[in-house]
Amino acid sequence: MLPIDLLMASRNLTRHARRNLFLAGALATVTSLLVLLASLTAGIEHAMMESATTLLTGHVNVGGFFKVTSGSAAPLVSEYPRVLAAVRGAVPDVDYIAVRGRGWAKAVSETASMDLIIGGVDVTQEPGFAKVIVPLEGRLADLAQPGTVLLFQGQAERLQVRVGDVLTLSAPTARGVNNTADVRVAVVARNVGLLSAFSAFIQGDSLRQLYGLASSTTGALQLYLRRPEEAKAIAARLRATLSGAGWRVMDPDPQPYWIKLMQKVPSEDWTGQKLDVTTWEDEMGQFRQFIFGVRALTWLLVVVLMAVVIIGILNTLLIAIRERTREIGTLRAIGMQRRKVLWLFVLETLLLGLAGTGAGALLAAGVAGLVNLVGIAIPESMQIFVMQERLRFLLEPGAIAVHVAILTGVTVLASLLPAFRAARLRPVTAMHHIG
Amino acid sequence: MSIVSIRNVSKDYMLGKTVVPALRGVSLEIEKGEFLSLAGPSGSGKTTLLNLVGCVDTPTAGTVVVDGRDTSRLSERALTELRLRTIGFIFQSFNLVQVLSVFQNVEFPLLLQGGLGRRERRDRVLALLDAVGIGSHARHRPSELSGGQRQRVAVARALVTRPALVLADEPTANLDSKTGANLIDLMKEMNRRDGTTFVFSTHDPKVMSHASAIVRIADGQLVGREAVGGDAAAAEGR
Ligand SMILES: Nc1ncnc2c1ncn2[C@@H]1O[C@H](COP(=O)(O)OP(=O)(O)O)[C@@H](O)[C@H]1O
Ligand SMILES: [Mg+2]
């Protein structure tokens, strides 16, 4: 029976090729829009995950704050080798752990100055760093030497410096005085979205010197996991392990460390060392919100467009039912059950839906593939948000299949109402000798 | 033995707020193997009566018993099943499914019934298409056929399930008189061959003359039943 059902459904569609092509085209447009926007968002998210989690945060971070007085705070982990040992013990299968200094300084060149979030990095210990950083000038290995700094292209332009030039960093210390240090530009790297707007890296020990810190003090231990999706569970485990081992550990709070440093921690009434375990999602909160916002807008757009398409489909189905009233009555008279009439109309819409959404998905995949191949530059003002310099779509077959299924499903659901109406047509309508 | 028994049946239609009595106290027995013509002027109630016998409508009063079952007691589903298994329909305007071929139109009721294998279906459909003289057009679409050919396809579709009863409401009304006469001959041949009961309505005296019996209807009431020729005598002699 199914082959003949399919035949009837598809022939009924092609019989009114123009109006059904129009509907399928509308469906294809909505689908391709959804797939394109979703894969663009996925591309941004992927780039964000890769670059941000290397430069700014590990998948899981063991950071913390040191307070000399209750009104001050510094983003420090003292006696970090002991913490590192405890962390390694708790997460033996970690990919690698980066020991990062955290700081904030004013960079002063001969002609300009700007505020920078300074990361203290040991490039020899961080395999992931070289994957994300693309040096335009200088060699990454040079950042291993003391007294060197890595700037991003935009910063170098703003400060009007090149590799080999010297900058003065001026940093407020916990004791309330400003320390300064001269650093040589070792690397100018390609911009990486928002991060490169305000963060730079210096050699780890140089950061300690700038702040006058002991060699056993650092900013955070950044854990890179083999399976990033386990970050939340591992963070919880680390909190338990570390507080069990006697450290004071802060309650989970999904905010980046520098917001805590500026707002929350100085207002709390305690002194000494506390550890803070966060995930990359905590540290990247605003970016996640941005992605969420883009997704919400995408779906809003899709819902509005789908509403229009569905009105078109309902309208067309009602016309089709009116045109086929006698045929439906005939089929009912010769013994077709109501649910079978329902099924025939649902099947017809299902075919239309699959054709439209399938074509839309293919179209979108083609366009996305082409754009990826050609490489379209993103305007600089937008690069900050998308963390990419070129438009890049991330096509995930699973996600595309889900989108096709959702839009087809919605189409079929919408067809149920007119289909029920067709199924209720009385067989006696076959006898009316009209038309 | 009766295949259809109609007792004291009335049917009223509502036209806005006015009641239109289409049938008034009709009683009729239809025997197995009859080739019965329902004759009467336009508006006399022929279609209404055939709809009641065909289980596509139910009476306002009285009972219609088809193949031993009181139609007023059957659910919509059961009525549909009864139509599928027991009744074949031939419509005035043929009512073939435009998107299906001649073969597929005739095969369709068998697919609805289920049960037969692909080969059996094929053999039965092709044999029937040959019998109604349309075997060479199996792959054509209805729109490629003449009116007379389409009605032959409709006859084949009505007969393919080997129903006990075939109903035809003015089957020749859309055909010229020669083609109409040929169609009635064909139906009669099928009636003789398989003993299938035929009931058809017409207001064409030439068409009714082929019947074994004529039931006359006027103003929603039966006004007489007469036998025609030898076949009818057998039916009347029950
Ligand atoms: N659906 C309907 N609504 C209202 N009146 C109807 C309807 N169908 C038939 N009638 C009326 O019932 C009477 C019998 O009609 P019908 O059975 O179609 O007669 P026939 O087939 O002999 O021409 C006519 O007066 C007709 O106008
Ligand atoms: Mg009529």
Side-chain angles (χ1 to χ4, degrees):
Chain A
M1 196 81 227
L2 186 64
I4 203 95
D5 292 353
L6 282 170
L7 187 79
M8 282 173 79
S10 58
R11 283 203 181 146
N12 274 323
L13 284 173
T14 51
R15 194 169 158 202
H16 299 283
R18 250 182 74 172
R19 71 184 187 210
N20 287 317
L21 267 179
F22 181 77
L23 287 178
L27 263 175
T29 307
V30 181
T31 312
S32 62
L33 201 71
L34 173 60
V35 169
L36 279 177
L37 285 175
S39 56
L40 182 64
T41 316
I44 294 170
E45 197 177 21
H46 181 76
M48 184 182 100
M49 168 90 180
E50 197 169 78
S51 56
T53 56
T54 308
L55 299 180
L56 204 66
T57 159
H59 297 130
V60 177
N61 309 287
V62 181
F65 301 93
F66 193 89
K67 291 172 53 147
V68 179
T69 63
S70 72
S72 71
L76 299 176
V77 176
S78 52
E79 302 299 333
Y80 83 82
R82 276 180 49 223
V83 182
L84 187 58
V87 170
R88 278 199 196 286
V91 192
D93 58 341
V94 66
D95 189 5
Y96 67 92
I97 300 179
V99 176
R100 284 282 183 88
R102 285 172 169 175
W104 175 86
K106 185 183 275 288
V108 185
S109 72
E110 284 185 7
T111 54
S113 74
M114 66 186 295
D115 291 327
L116 290 174
I117 291 174
I118 303 286
V121 64
D122 184 351
V123 283
T124 59
Q125 299 296 311
E126 282 199 42
F129 205 73
K131 276 192 226 154
V132 178
I133 296 287
V134 181
L136 297 173
E137 236 190 295
R139 292 184 313 128
L140 208 49
D142 294 343
L143 196 59
Q145 293 164 17
T148 54
V149 65
L150 178 151
L151 295 179
F152 289 98
Q153 193 180 9
Q155 300 159 355
E157 278 165 14
R158 204 165 138 192
L159 293 167
Q160 293 181 300
V161 292
R162 311 191 48 172
V163 165
D165 292 350
V166 172
L167 284 177
T168 303
L169 296 180
S170 167
T173 64
R175 290 170 211 86
V177 291
N178 274 13
N179 284 2
T180 60
D182 284 349
V183 289
R184 188 171 49 81
V185 179
V187 185
V188 174
R190 189 199 279 167
N191 285 349
V192 190
L194 187 54
L195 298 176
S196 41
F198 53 74
S199 53
F201 295 92
I202 69 174
Q203 196 255 352
D205 281 330
S206 304
L207 186 76
R208 291 193 185 90
Q209 269 167 31
L210 179 62
Y211 280 94
L213 300 172
S215 63
S216 62
T217 299
T218 192
L221 309 178
Q222 298 185 355
L223 282 72
Y224 294 89
L225 308 174
R226 287 183 220 281
R227 281 188 297 277
E229 61 276 12
E230 292 175 350
K232 249 199 167 84
I234 286 177
R237 197 203 303 166
L238 279 175
R239 270 185 212 106
T241 309
L242 292 170
S243 62
W247 275 283
R248 289 192 290 170
V249 179
M250 291 164 61
D251 289 334
D253 179 12
Q255 295 216 11
Y257 83 87
W258 49 273
I259 285 188
K260 292 176 191 169
L261 175 67
M262 291 192 294
Q263 296 169 0
K264 185 179 139 188
V265 179
S267 65
E268 291 175 353
D269 185 23
W270 52 271
T271 56
Q273 176 73 54
K274 269 196 184 182
L275 294 182
D276 187 25
V277 182
T278 60
T279 64
W280 70 279
E281 288 184 316
D282 301 339
E283 298 290 341
M284 301 298 295
Q286 308 86 331
F287 295 96
R288 310 277 316 160
Q289 273 165 22
F290 171 73
I291 294 286
F292 179 81
V294 173
R295 290 228 165 94
L297 274 178
T298 301
W299 280 104
L300 190 72
L301 193 66
V302 167
V303 166
V304 170
L305 291 177
M306 268 313 271
V308 177
V309 173
I310 280 171
I311 288 170
I313 287 174
L314 289 182
N315 203 27
T316 305
L317 273 176
L318 289 177
I319 293 172
I321 288 164
R322 202 178 319 138
E323 286 168 349
R324 268 184 257 157
T325 295
R326 190 139 65 91
E327 182 178 298
I328 297 162
T330 304
L331 294 174
R332 293 278 290 114
I334 68 174
M336 182 184 278
Q337 293 286 0
R338 278 179 171 167
R339 55 189 166 159
K340 178 90 189 190
V341 176
L342 183 82
W343 158 247
L344 281 177
F345 275 93
V346 167
L347 183 67
E348 200 171 311
T349 320
L350 180 69
L351 289 185
L352 179 75
L354 281 177
T357 55
L362 283 180
L363 180 78
V367 168
L370 204 68
V371 168
N372 284 347
L373 208 68
V374 172
I376 294 178
I378 299 172
E380 220 163 294
S381 56
M382 284 301 293
Q383 287 180 14
I384 279 191
F385 296 105
V386 300
M387 292 203 181
Q388 290 166 307
E389 294 192 303
R390 290 176 183 286
L391 213 54
R392 178 151 194 91
F393 295 91
L394 186 69
L395 291 165
E396 299 160 310
I400 294 174
V402 168
H403 290 148
V404 163
I406 289 176
L407 294 191
T408 306
V410 166
T411 310
V412 168
L413 273 183
S415 77
L416 280 179
L417 210 72
F420 269 116
R421 197 163 148 165
R424 274 202 309 270
L425 281 176
R426 299 175 62 225
V428 73
T429 52
M431 317 296 170
H432 292 164
H433 306 305
I434 37 161
Chain B
M1 200 189 137
S2 301
I3 178 86
V4 177
S5 176
I6 298 164
R7 291 177 209 130
N8 262 321
V9 158
S10 297
K11 177 72 184 177
D12 297 335
Y13 290 112
M14 292 302 294
L15 203 66
K17 278 184 179 159
T18 49
V19 179
V20 182
L23 291 177
R24 293 181 284 181
V26 171
S27 293
L28 176 67
E29 297 287 318
I30 301 171
E31 303 303 313
K32 276 192 175 151
E34 272 196 287
F35 195 69
L36 186 77
S37 173
L38 208 52
S42 190
S44 56
K46 303 182 295 294
T47 298
T48 303
L49 187 58
L50 281 172
N51 287 348
L52 295 180
V53 175
C55 305
V56 295
D57 211 347
T58 46
T60 312
T63 55
V64 176
V65 178
V66 177
D67 202 24
R69 267 167 296 175
D70 183 348
T71 60
S72 64
R73 291 167 190 269
L74 296 180
S75 66
E76 175 62 41
R77 256 186 91 147
L79 284 175
T80 306
E81 194 65 16
L82 184 64
R83 292 197 296 270
L84 176 62
R85 309 263 163 207
T86 312
I87 303 170
F89 286 92
I90 299 166
F91 303 93
Q92 180 182 327
S93 8
F94 326 134
N95 293 16
L96 298 175
V97 180
Q98 294 300 323
V99 295
L100 297 182
S101 69
V102 164
F103 180 91
Q104 288 161 337
N105 263 285
V106 176
E107 187 191 29
F108 204 83
L110 293 179
L111 291 169
L112 286 179
Q113 280 192 341
L116 284 189
R118 197 186 162 78
R119 275 196 72 99
E120 279 173 289
R121 281 201 310 268
R122 206 184 110 84
D123 292 347
R124 194 190 289 191
V125 170
L126 289 180
L128 199 51
L129 284 178
D130 279 336
V132 300
I134 205 99
S136 56
H137 292 72
R139 290 169 171 279
H140 288 60
R141 294 278 192 92
S143 57
E144 296 163 346
L145 304 181
S146 70
Q149 289 171 319
R150 288 185 211 184
Q151 200 59 308
R152 282 165 185 267
V153 177
V155 170
R157 178 177 66 182
L159 290 173
V160 74
T161 57
R162 297 180 182 154
L165 175 66
V166 173
L167 304 175
D169 190 12
E170 310 209 26
T172 60
N174 284 345
L175 304 176
D176 63 67
S177 56
K178 188 165 172 282
T179 316
N182 284 342
L183 186 89
I184 295 296
D185 284 343
L186 173 70
M187 283 167 45
K188 190 150 186 185
E189 194 188 317
M190 294 297 157
N191 161 258
R192 273 207 216 95
R193 198 181 77 172
D194 305 326
T196 309
T197 313
F198 277 77
V199 181
F200 62 97
S201 70
T202 183
H203 50 242
D204 181 346
K206 267 194 267 164
V207 170
M208 22 182 131
S209 65
H210 290 79
S212 60
I214 302 172
V215 169
R216 294 197 183 273
I217 180 169
D219 273 337
Q221 286 175 309
L222 296 196
V223 291
R225 178 183 179 117
E226 57 201 72
V228 185
D231 293 349
E236 285 292 275
R238 73 195 118 104

